[in-house]
Amino acid sequence: QVQLVESGGGLVQPGGSLRLSCAVSGRILSINVMGWYRQAPGKQRELVATITSGGSTNYADSVKGRFTISRDNAKNTVYLQMNSLKPEDTAVYYCNADVWELINRYRNYWGQGTQVTVSS
């Protein structure tokens, strides 16, 4: 019922920028924490950034100062603005959300992932 659809991934050169979007759809009452995670080949999935419903943010040290997470609650969408991209940022990026559904249940959902490749 609840779906998370990511967009905005692609191939960029080092130093470039990308903006990822993740739209949550379905019978939603509200969304609590939303976040972005990434997984590089052969590596564990790691947290990139999170944002609460009130706008409080948290970032991995590796992206702090370069990435900005934001959300549009009216659109049930979370964004990740990625600047000064480095090759080590290459990974599949996944969005995540804790959702209160209209049927009165609270569940965590993952998006399908979008590939970000930083290469010259």
Side-chain angles (χ1 to χ4, degrees):
Q1 190 68 42
V2 174
Q3 302 275 324
L4 278 65
V5 179
E6 298 139 323
S7 61
L11 174 65
V12 296
Q13 294 185 345
S17 297
L18 281 176
R19 190 191 191 208
L20 306 182
S21 300
C22 177
V24 183
S25 62
R27 293 185 173 271
I28 298 166
L29 179 63
S30 64
I31 304 174
N32 191 13
V33 178
M34 306 180 78
W36 289 94
Y37 297 74
R38 67 186 182 187
Q39 188 168 21
K43 296 184 178 180
Q44 201 79 22
R45 186 174 299 187
E46 65 176 354
L47 184 146
V48 177
T50 60
I51 183 167
T52 69
S53 59
S56 296
T57 58
N58 184 62
Y59 297 92
D61 288 341
S62 59
V63 307
K64 194 171 299 182
R66 300 187 297 120
F67 291 10
T68 303
I69 189 171
S70 61
R71 62 192 286 171
D72 185 337
N73 291 328
K75 296 181 178 180
N76 290 330
T77 299
V78 62
Y79 306 94
L80 185 68
Q81 178 66 47
M82 304 185 294
N83 299 325
S84 301
L85 283 161
K86 305 174 181 179
E88 51 262 44
D89 295 318
T90 296
V92 177
Y93 284 70
Y94 299 89
C95 62
N96 181 269
D98 293 326
V99 181
W100 276 108
E101 301 177 48
L102 293 180
I103 57 174
N104 199 33
R105 68 179 180 181
Y106 188 70
R107 293 184 62 182
N108 181 262
Y109 291 90
W110 288 94
Q112 79 285 353
T114 185
Q115 178 70 48
V116 172
T117 302
V118 185
S119 176
S120 59

